[in-house]
């Protein structure tokens, strides 16, 4: 395959092109359809509208939940591209962070392992389900991950090349991580690096002091923002930061937030590594097994720990980067799959090692797995053609809306190119399989997976998720004359929940009515079908109301059918 041959001659250029085509062109195809993305994007909108780059206020009085790095990036990129915050500019920081992280992963890996393993490590990282999803999301997690992984790489590389632990580059990256999501951005790289130094035989006090110095220095720049934000936000800012950073870690938040048991992290990693976790399933029936011999004693354990000093440093580093970050995120009661994103480059390294192990031990498993990957693109294409060609009626509104979206889908140049590329790579993978070359087959399969992501991002995913967006409600209200000069109001009974999507598409003109000070004399109120009774009971002595619109659309933020009320304060 010419692409693989060219990859060997110009690896950085080819990898950069693959990353760019995979993550940039289709960023704006999917409309906002979850509450998380517009909640982050609206901060950048309010920054540009108010000119406040420290602690802007949105939703009629809300201060940001996270430090401002993501909002800064979105606002700056929006200014560069025309001044308007869009789905594309909101997701661009995550995509660029993903590109930088994957490229740096390849560059450091090729200095510590074989060239083919380094390439495979980069491709596995960028095509893992969880990583790919985060790169297309306007959330802080991908940006945080790039900072954390980059800082950890620099601490490792600086020590390996110069035997120094102090690193200016790592300090700046950790500063960026702290400004993205708080002190955890400096703690995680420091924890991994400190453990690595000790296991490599570094003096305990020297390793501890220099690692602590790196971490403390990385807090100087973020501290300037924290002080400025505290001066603006006062006690409200302090309580929110304590809840987000300390309360989330200790499980003492004032509201439930993603409370999960410890084994939830295991499940999310298994799912997040798809489709590569399926490689284990294919190989289980192709390997020969020997009866394990267990002999555990204190002396053996001490000898094993001492032996780590002579372990391959790259293997030791990736092991620590995976194990320590995973264990750390098992501690908080609040758990989300994206918290574990920093372990995926390390996991990709071990998957690449396992694939090379299977070359000689179980080539049949690689062929079967490659065949499975090669079958995905044709199956999806056939399903798309069937849905587009035939009118289906299932009797369930949610399913019918979804099927209708695929029936009415239009092909443009980008989607045709992406689908064609995925089908061509599927053909080349099958050709390698029938040619009997397991090594060539798995390499073609991984490139086929990259092109499959193109078609997913260009047509399949946008068509599937755009039916959920609240953008249509926002457009209806804008046509009715509501906007910045004529604001409207929103109410959600759930604490910390807002109509973020409608508010984003209306330019931050929806005022939160949860706060009594925001209650108007009259106006329009956006409310959920299930929240209406509770709100009406609470304000029956204060307001009269009538229902102007009872939509059949369930909000992607509240999961309730949206009602538009005309409310008037009683005399």
């Amino acid at each position: 395959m010419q692409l693989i041959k060219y990859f060997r001659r110009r690896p950085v250029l080819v990898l950069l092109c693959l990353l760019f085509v995979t993550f940039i062109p289709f960023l704006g195809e999917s409309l906002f359809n979850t509450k998380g993305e517009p909640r982050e994007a609206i901060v950048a909108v309010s920054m540009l509208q108010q000119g406040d780059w420290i602690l802007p206020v949105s939703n009629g009085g809300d201060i940001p939940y996270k430090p401002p790095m993501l909002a800064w990036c979105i606002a700056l990129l929006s200014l560069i591209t025309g001044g308007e915050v869009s789905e594309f500019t909101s997701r661009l920081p995550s995509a660029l962070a993903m590109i930088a992280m994957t490229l740096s992963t390849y560059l450091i890996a090729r200095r510590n392992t074989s060239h083919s393993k380094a390439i495979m490590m980069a491709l596995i990282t960028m095509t893992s389900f969880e990583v790919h999803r985060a790169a297309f999301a306007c959330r802080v997690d991908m940006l945080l991950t790039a900072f954390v992984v980059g800082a950890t790489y620099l601490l490792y590389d600086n020590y390996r090349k110069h035997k120094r632990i102090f690193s200016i580059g790592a300090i700046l990256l950790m500063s960026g991580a702290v400004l993205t999501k708080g002190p955890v951005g400096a703690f995680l790289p420091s924890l991994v690096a400190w453990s690595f130094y000790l296991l490599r035989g570094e003096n305990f006090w020297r390793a501890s002091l220099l690692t602590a110095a790196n971490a403390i220095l990385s807090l100087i720049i973020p501290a300037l923002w924290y002080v400025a934000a505290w001066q603006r936000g006062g006690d409200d800012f302090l309580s929110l930061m304590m809840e987000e950073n300390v309360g989330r870690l200790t499980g003492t938040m004032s509201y439930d937030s993603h409370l999960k048991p410890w084994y939830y992290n295991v499940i999310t990693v298994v799912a997040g590594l798809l489709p590569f976790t399926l490689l284990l399933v294919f190989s289980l029936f192709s390997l020969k097994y020997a009866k394990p011999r267990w002999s555990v004693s204190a002396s053996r354990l001490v000898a094993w720990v001492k032996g780590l000093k002579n372990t391959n440093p790259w293997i030791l580093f990736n092991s620590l980067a995976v194990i320590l970050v995973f264990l750390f995120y098992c501690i908080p009661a609040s758990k989300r799959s994206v918290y574990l994103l920093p372990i995926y480059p390390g996991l990709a390294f071990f998957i690449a090692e396992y694939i090379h192990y299977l070359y000689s031990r179980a080539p049949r498993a690689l062929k079967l797995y490659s065949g499975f990957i090669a079958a995905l693109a044709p199956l999806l294409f056939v399903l798309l053609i069937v849905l587009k060609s035939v009118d289906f009626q299932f009797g369930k509104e949610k399913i019918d809306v979804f099927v209708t979206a695929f029936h009415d889908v239009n092909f443009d140049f980008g989607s045709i190119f992406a689908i064609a590329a995925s089908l061509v790579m599927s053909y080349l993978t099958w050709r390698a399989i029938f040619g009997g070359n397991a090594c060539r087959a798995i390499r073609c399969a991984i490139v086929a997976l990259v092109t499959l992501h193109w078609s997913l991002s260009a047509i399949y995913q946008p068509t599937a998720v755009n039916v959920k967006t609240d953008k249509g409600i926002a457009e209806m209200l804008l046509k009715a004359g509501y906007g910045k000069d004529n604001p409207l109001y929103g109410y959600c009974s759930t604490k910390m929940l807002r109509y973020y999507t409608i508010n984003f598409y209306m330019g931050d003109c929806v005022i939160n009515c949860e706060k009594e000070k925001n209650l108007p004399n009259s106006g329009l109120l956006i409310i959920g079908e299930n929240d209406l009774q509770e709100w009406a009971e609470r304000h029956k002595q204060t307001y009269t109301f009538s229902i102007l619109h009872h939509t059949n659309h369930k909000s992607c933020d509240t999961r309730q059918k949206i009602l538009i009320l005309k409310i008037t304060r009683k005399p």
Side-chain angles (χ1 to χ4, degrees):
M1 182 183 168
Q2 293 301 316
L3 179 61
I4 294 176
K5 291 180 180 179
Y6 193 76
F7 215 146
R8 293 170 182 165
R9 296 196 298 268
R10 298 287 188 273
V12 175
L13 178 61
V14 175
L15 180 59
L16 192 58
C17 289
L18 287 176
L19 286 165
F20 181 86
V21 175
T22 303
F23 294 103
I24 300 300
F26 310 116
L27 281 176
E29 295 298 315
S30 297
L31 303 174
F32 287 151
N33 58 87
T34 63
K35 63 179 179 292
E37 287 194 283
R39 183 182 63 193
E40 304 294 346
I42 202 69
V43 179
V45 172
S46 56
M47 270 186 183
L48 294 176
Q49 288 180 350
Q50 301 164 21
D52 184 349
W53 293 70
I54 302 298
L55 200 69
V57 173
S58 57
N59 298 290
D62 292 346
I63 60 175
Y65 299 105
K66 300 290 190 296
M69 179 58 75
L70 177 62
W72 286 345
C73 293
I74 295 171
L76 287 172
L77 290 169
S78 298
L79 284 174
I80 293 171
T81 56
E84 181 181 352
V85 179
S86 64
E87 296 93 346
F88 179 84
T89 60
S90 297
R91 293 168 179 148
L92 190 54
S94 294
L96 294 176
M98 169 63 202
I99 291 172
M101 183 186 76
T102 304
L103 198 59
S104 64
T105 294
Y106 166 74
L107 291 174
I108 192 170
R110 74 175 184 179
R111 295 200 297 269
N112 291 278
T113 187
S114 69
H115 184 252
S116 61
K117 290 179 183 177
I119 291 174
M120 196 164 289
M121 181 180 176
L123 293 177
I124 292 170
T125 298
M126 66 182 281
T127 53
S128 297
F129 170 75
E130 192 65 58
V131 178
H132 186 271
R133 182 175 68 162
F136 274 83
C138 173
R139 302 296 296 268
V140 299
D141 305 289
M142 193 69 248
L143 193 60
L144 172 70
T145 299
F147 281 131
V148 168
V149 171
T152 312
Y153 283 160
L154 286 179
L155 290 171
Y156 166 83
D157 202 44
N158 193 57
Y159 174 78
R160 288 284 297 151
K161 291 195 306 185
H162 307 294
K163 293 295 181 181
R164 296 196 305 264
I165 303 175
F166 190 78
S167 171
I168 298 296
I171 290 170
L172 293 176
L173 288 177
M174 286 191 289
S175 295
V178 175
L179 280 170
T180 302
K181 205 176 180 179
V184 70
F187 177 77
L188 289 178
S190 302
L191 175 65
V192 173
W194 178 74
S195 303
F196 175 77
Y197 301 150
L198 292 182
L199 291 175
R200 293 294 296 173
E202 190 67 49
N203 176 271
F204 174 83
W205 292 110
R206 181 175 183 271
S208 301
L209 289 173
L210 289 178
T211 304
N214 277 327
I216 292 170
L217 288 172
S218 73
L219 298 177
I220 293 176
I221 296 175
L224 299 176
W225 173 79
Y226 275 97
V227 171
W230 172 58
Q231 291 175 341
R232 295 277 186 90
D235 291 340
D236 288 343
F237 169 77
L238 282 181
S239 61
L240 181 60
M241 290 300 104
M242 288 296 292
E243 186 161 57
E244 285 291 319
N245 292 287
V246 179
R248 191 175 293 276
L249 181 64
T250 59
T252 57
M253 299 183 74
S254 61
Y255 62 97
D256 292 341
S257 177
H258 310 291
L259 301 182
K260 306 289 183 182
W262 69 269
Y263 56 81
Y264 173 81
N265 283 343
V266 177
I267 297 171
T268 58
V269 170
V270 171
L273 275 174
L274 286 172
F276 297 102
T277 43
L278 295 175
L279 178 60
L280 178 63
V281 177
F282 283 93
S283 64
L284 284 177
F285 305 101
S286 303
L287 294 172
K288 295 181 179 180
Y289 302 95
K291 185 178 180 180
R293 297 179 180 179
W294 300 102
S295 179
V296 180
S297 64
S299 59
R300 282 180 177 271
L301 185 61
V302 171
W304 177 76
V305 172
K306 289 182 178 179
L308 291 175
K309 182 178 180 180
N310 300 318
T311 301
N312 182 307
W314 181 239
I315 294 176
L316 177 61
F317 166 76
N318 281 288
S319 300
L320 291 171
V322 171
I323 294 170
L324 293 176
V325 174
F326 180 86
L327 292 177
F328 172 79
Y329 279 115
C330 285
I331 298 172
S334 176
K335 295 178 178 65
R336 293 181 64 226
S337 59
V338 289
Y339 294 169
L340 295 172
L341 280 169
I343 75 175
Y344 281 83
L347 290 173
F349 165 71
F350 290 110
I351 292 173
E353 286 280 347
Y354 187 59
I355 289 173
H356 277 72
Y357 170 80
L358 292 176
Y359 283 163
S360 58
R361 299 299 182 92
R364 183 170 175 270
L366 290 179
K367 293 179 185 178
L368 289 172
Y369 178 73
S370 299
F372 168 78
I373 297 297
L376 293 176
L379 286 174
L380 282 173
F381 180 65
V382 169
L383 179 61
L384 175 62
I385 296 302
V386 171
L387 290 175
K388 186 167 177 58
S389 304
V390 182
D391 287 322
F392 291 97
Q393 292 296 325
F394 291 89
K396 290 188 176 181
E397 180 183 348
K398 191 173 183 179
I399 297 177
D400 286 340
V401 169
F402 174 82
V403 172
T404 301
F406 278 95
H407 184 271
D408 298 336
V409 69
N410 293 315
F411 297 102
D412 56 17
F413 174 78
S415 59
I416 293 172
F417 171 79
I419 292 174
S422 64
L423 292 175
V424 169
M425 282 309 308
S426 292
Y427 164 75
L428 293 175
T429 304
W430 280 111
R431 185 176 174 181
I433 293 169
F434 289 117
N437 191 328
C439 178
R440 185 184 181 91
I442 189 64
R443 290 176 178 176
C444 287
I446 292 177
V447 177
L449 191 58
V450 173
T451 58
L452 178 63
H453 280 297
W454 297 354
S455 59
L456 287 171
S457 304
I459 191 165
Y460 297 120
Q461 182 181 355
T463 305
V465 301
N466 284 350
V467 297
K468 301 190 298 180
T469 184
D470 293 353
K471 185 178 181 180
I473 304 296
E475 290 175 339
M476 178 189 73
L477 292 168
L478 287 171
K479 287 180 180 179
Y482 290 89
K484 265 300 178 187
D485 297 328
N486 190 17
L488 62 157
Y489 302 85
Y491 175 78
C492 298
S493 60
T494 303
K495 186 179 180 182
M496 313 294 282
L497 187 59
R498 310 283 185 264
Y499 284 96
Y500 293 111
T501 305
I502 294 176
N503 194 28
F504 171 81
Y505 285 115
M506 295 192 70
D508 191 23
C509 69
V510 180
I511 299 174
N512 171 35
C513 261
E514 183 183 290
K515 299 178 180 180
E516 294 295 328
K517 66 179 182 180
N518 287 338
L519 288 174
N521 290 323
S522 64
L524 291 193
L525 177 68
I526 307 170
I527 194 168
E529 186 178 49
N530 300 336
D531 289 338
L532 176 59
Q533 184 176 354
E534 184 265 344
W535 183 88
E537 181 65 25
R538 184 194 299 183
H539 296 287
K540 63 183 179 181
Q541 303 297 330
T542 312
Y543 284 98
T544 60
F545 70 89
S546 60
I547 300 176
L548 296 183
H549 298 283
H550 190 154
T551 70
N552 288 322
H553 173 75
K554 279 192 176 182
S555 170
C556 57
D557 295 331
T558 65
R559 301 293 189 267
Q560 299 181 41
K561 289 186 177 181
I562 296 175
L563 306 181
I564 309 296
L565 307 183
K566 173 67 176 179
I567 60 174
T568 306
R569 188 182 292 271
K570 292 180 179 180

